[in-house]
Amino acid sequence: MAPDDAPDGPAGGSVRPVLLTVDDDPAVSRAVARDLRRRYGRDYRVLRADSGADALGALREVKLRGEPVAAVLADYRMPQMDGVELLEAAMDLFPSARRVLLTAYADTTAAIRAINDVDLDHYLLKPWNPPEEKLYPVLDGLLERWNAEPVRPPDEVVVIGDRWSARSFAVRDFLARNEVPYRWLLAGQPEAERLLTASGQPSDGARTLPVVLAPVADGCPEVLLDPDDTTLADHVGLTTRPQREFYDLAIVGGGPAGLGAAVYGASEGLRTVLVEEHATGGQAGQSSRIENYLGFPDGLSGAQLADRARRQVAKFGAETLTARTVTGLERSGGSRVVRFSDGTSVAAHTVLLATGVAYRTLEGPGLAEFTGRGVYYGAALSEVTACADEDVFVVGAANSAGQSAVNLARAARSVTMLVRGPSIEASMSAYLVEQIRALPNVRVLTCTEVTAAAGDERLSSITLRDRQSGRERTVDAQHVFVFIGAAPRTGWLDGAVQRDDHGFVLAGPDLVVDGQRPPGWNPARDPYHLETSMPGVFVAGDVRADSVKRVASAVGEGAMAVMLVHRYLAQQ
């Protein structure tokens, strides 16, 4: 590893972010480092490595020192570890670092692979001379976007809790879905006990768990005792408060529809704010693998899709508010006001409802009691690793259930799918059905439902009922992942906009009955296609009545909603 020999950085002695270049050809490696130092040496620390292994070692050292990495430039054709494999490993250490692949003219297929596998930011064809035309403009743009992203605390978050505490699970799941790095310690472990004592927690068992140690700049970690999601978000670098008093477009819900609308709205000049209660990505963000989304033939995880969308939202300047619970929507003159549970609000010319849907819950004795302690709704990213060599149950027969079963089967000893209907073919994509049939450790029990759960500190068994014969039996179970249909998150819209009998929001032509517009409708026109019964309030994605429950259609509706917002604003 060769460090740079530039001066000690900008005035004030602040730590310079790292630019790492990796190439097994020493001459090329020196040339890249030379060009980088010439342009960026004053503000960045340039490191170079001659192999993937050396580069990973350098990244680990930088991580231990708490230094940021702004970009990694890796040659594709290297022995032992090629550039794509290195960039994939680098993502685990520095997920926000920009990733650039150096390729020869014959290696453009490698760049396509990297775009799918490691969310490549750019690829450069060698040679790139002159750098003023082919290298610097690319890096200038990448570094500008990297510097524009919110700065998170320099060290990792530490969560100390009980393995089978529902709240400990909820905290870990919140951090995982928002891609906040954290370290999980079980109460009782020596390191956990040392940290609990240092944070003032008693040792006699009368403790408040979970305890979150949130790093702060230039100081000791702040101790959070069983924090709510908003407090947690505030202390781990997520944004919870709006920066403006008024917006052109306020989006409620951060799933594919909301993210798509935020990207298009902000990129087209609308002052845009997106409000999300839990984590951006919605149900799609919890999918272990999406293989039928246009443009990604090798598939990608829901978390990867959500991360890319989040970065696009930030790139175009839209604000994202996390851990905010919306409780009401109302008109106030020409504006629309979205109210939050803490009494605050945000106002905008227009509002887009993109709240998606929530998984329905299992009904029966004990099932609510063990939620977060063995019964999980959705993919529960923080729990997947705990299922290694275990017998796991997946409840449901749609694509989300199938994707979860395939993902869990990679590590679990066995996966049993519990399906209420006579087959999975009716509700699951054919490619998933084929994958499930090919997995030897996955079995499908049809006409079967879960009616009860039992255990002590954690889930230990569930009761299964055969829907044809009515017979019940109890089986051992420690991990049950539930995907049993969805209900719209629209209770907070009572009295604000019209909904159907199931709670889905009506829009456009569905609001005009026998030529009559909805009650209270003022404009001298019919509602636009995605417009609700409140003028200037639109709806997109799964929460819309009769929508197509697919990621691509949700993104498309988000884009269409922005077009209609422009049309609405032009007439005001």
Side-chain angles (χ1 to χ4, degrees), residues 1-6 19-23 25-42 44-50 73 102 128 131 135-136 139:
M1 168 58 56
D4 68 350
D5 51 8
L19 300 178
L20 174 63
T21 174
V22 191
D23 199 303
D25 185 330
V28 175
S29 180
R30 285 192 297 270
V32 176
R34 179 197 63 225
D35 288 340
L36 293 179
R37 291 185 191 120
R38 182 186 305 159
R39 176 86 163 195
Y40 307 105
R42 177 173 178 79
Y44 295 86
R45 190 159 72 94
V46 179
L47 301 178
R48 65 180 177 87
D50 297 329
L73 294 81
L102 307 177
W128 58 84
L135 176 64
Y136 297 154
L139 279 182

Side-chain angles (χ1 to χ4, degrees), residues 7-17 42-43 45 65-68 218:
D8 286 336
S14 60
V15 175
R16 287 176 297 163
R42 177 173 178 79
D43 299 317
R45 190 159 72 94
R65 290 196 297 266
E67 299 176 17
D218 303 322

Side-chain angles (χ1 to χ4, degrees), residues 237-292:
L238 301 175
T239 303
T240 62
R241 294 170 178 80
Q243 304 301 307
R244 301 174 183 265
E245 293 185 358
F246 196 83
Y247 296 85
D248 296 314
L249 172 61
I251 302 166
V252 184
L259 289 168
V263 168
Y264 282 97
S267 68
E268 294 171 11
L270 297 178
R271 294 169 297 174
T272 303
V273 61
L274 183 150
V275 182
E276 169 56 43
E277 184 174 9
H278 299 294
T280 50
Q283 281 192 347
Q286 293 180 277
S287 296
S288 55
R289 200 72 179 168
I290 302 172
E291 297 190 58
N292 59 350

Side-chain angles (χ1 to χ4, degrees), residues 102-172:
L102 307 177
T103 69
Y105 290 107
D107 290 334
T108 52
T109 53
I112 296 172
R113 170 191 160 203
I115 290 170
N116 283 318
D117 291 355
V118 299
D119 194 12
L120 191 71
D121 292 291
H122 204 88
Y123 71 91
L124 290 172
L125 296 177
K126 299 190 292 185
W128 58 84
N129 290 325
E132 289 78 9
E133 294 182 11
K134 298 183 179 180
L135 176 64
Y136 297 154
V138 170
L139 279 182
D140 286 348
L142 295 178
L143 294 176
E144 181 181 353
R145 293 199 294 272
W146 182 83
N147 281 297
E149 289 186 351
V151 178
R152 286 184 171 173
D155 298 314
E156 65 183 348
V157 175
V158 177
V159 181
I160 305 172
D162 186 330
R163 172 70 180 84
W164 300 108
S165 159
R167 183 55 195 161
S168 293
F169 161 74
V171 166
R172 293 164 58 210

Side-chain angles (χ1 to χ4, degrees), residues 259-396:
L259 289 168
V263 168
Y264 282 97
S267 68
E268 294 171 11
L270 297 178
R271 294 169 297 174
T272 303
V273 61
L274 183 150
V275 182
E276 169 56 43
E277 184 174 9
H278 299 294
T280 50
Q283 281 192 347
Q286 293 180 277
S287 296
S288 55
R289 200 72 179 168
I290 302 172
E291 297 190 58
N292 59 350
Y293 189 63
L294 183 67
F296 295 92
D298 296 323
L300 77 170
S301 71
Q304 288 175 316
L305 181 62
D307 177 62
R308 296 180 187 193
R310 270 193 295 265
R311 288 197 279 127
Q312 281 184 295
V313 169
K315 168 186 174 181
F316 290 116
E319 292 179 34
T320 300
L321 310 183
T322 308
R324 300 309 305 267
T325 300
V326 178
T327 58
L329 171 66
E330 59 190 50
R331 289 191 240 195
S332 179
S335 67
R336 305 294 177 261
V337 180
V338 175
R339 301 207 173 275
F340 301 135
S341 58
D342 63 356
T344 62
S345 62
V346 64
H349 286 301
T350 61
V351 170
L352 174 64
L353 307 176
T355 51
V357 292
Y359 288 113
R360 289 192 171 90
T361 57
L362 291 171
E363 301 293 335
L367 287 164
E369 177 185 348
F370 290 102
T371 299
R373 296 193 294 143
V375 176
Y376 307 101
Y377 291 90
L381 302 177
S382 60
E383 290 299 312
V384 171
T385 55
C387 298
D389 299 320
E390 297 274 352
D391 298 314
V392 179
F393 292 85
V394 174
V395 184

